[in-house]
Amino acid sequence: MNELNFASDNVMGASAPVIEALVAANAGALPAYGGDEITARLTKRFAALFECELDVVLVATGTAANALALATALSPWGLCLCHSESHVIDDECGAPEFFSHGAKLVGLPGVGGKIEAPAVAAAVDRLPRHEKQMPAECVSISQATESGLVYRLDEIAGISEVARARGLWFHMDGARFANALVRLGCSPAEMTWRRGVDILSFGGTKNGCLAAEAILVFAPELRKTLRQRRKRSGHTLSKGRLLSAQFEGYLEADHWLANARHANAMADRLARGLGALPGVRPAWPTEANEVFAILPRALDERLRRAGASYHPWSDLSLAAGEAVGPEEVLVRLVTSFATEETSVDALLAAARTESGATA
Ligand SMILES: Cc1ncc(COP(=O)(O)O)c(C=O)c1O
């Protein structure tokens, strides 16, 4: 195993309580297609966690969760506004458009992967209102964003007000929901439906599950067709308990929150260490479990020679006036529930040695 692997939060397997819950759920015969008692228990658990009535639809990938959630909120001729670098528009191979049978995603600019309420309002209000044009029907945000930032509660409320006033549904891509939640220190309800979120992709895979994501539907009007959409898209597992058991282990004794706190703490440690190196500066503040840094090219090359894995990243979401120089690279390093302090320190030691400072 590569100790210096910061490529993503899904390079690690699942955490122990998730595997234990899966093993326990493996025994014996249970009704198929989510008709089992584990799935029924989980639905009640999510309702208690979010302090409301909701519908819970489980899938195995974040793309399926986002695409099916958006397809539910969009007609085939509808528009969904999102950030221009969001996962739904950039990294899902057109799945939301495919499963909605033709809806379009419209990318808005914004620093750090965030869209802002006034920009959403302006974009919607500028749209022609003739039957020849596609109407806006939905807004989608990622919490945390693809640049590792966390929307504050008033920012979420501001977008939801704009959406509600214009009759749009409000979707949140929570692939890193737990990381954002523990950073804000609020409740799941406060970060979602109490701020106007109608439908949420609640991520598990990046934070300790093997492969489990939940579509949580707060708006009753959006509950009607989701199960048919999931089946039709081939995302209904016949052994549904394999998804619900993962979430049982994940949610038990606040394990998911502990995982996210650990991942965020590792990212903070990494960001502090990198920020202290000559020539290194943050691209965006570290607010969840991802560190985005602008490195001197020579340091990047030497870190890679030392065996470090991480990805180069786009500079489109940088703040005005910030730019990546010709001898620099913008990179993303991701920590997870399983990242060890010794790995962070080993990467920093390699970076310090390579940059000429004392290791
Ligand atoms: C913001 C965001 N949304 C959704 C996903 C889920 O994607 P996948 O279909 O790979 O599980 C990811 C994974 O990279 C992500 O970063």
Side-chain angles (χ1 to χ4, degrees), residues 8-10 60-66 85-88 91-92 141-147 173-176 201 203 205-206 211-213 290 313 332:
S8 180
D9 30 17
N10 48 29
T61 73
T63 297
N66 284 339
E85 292 194 284
S86 60
H87 202 269
V88 290
D91 292 296
E92 300 190 351
I141 62 169
S142 305
Q143 179 74 321
T145 75
E146 286 74 6
S147 304
D173 173 359
R176 296 188 177 87
S201 304
T205 311
K206 290 178 186 298
E213 311 282 317
E290 300 178 284
W313 211 251
R332 180 191 79 162

Side-chain angles (χ1 to χ4, degrees), residues 89-109:
I89 204 170
D90 229 15
D91 292 296
E92 300 190 351
C93 203
E97 294 92 330
F98 180 73
F99 285 119
S100 60
H101 304 287
K104 258 201 227 172
L105 272 60
V106 179
L108 302 178

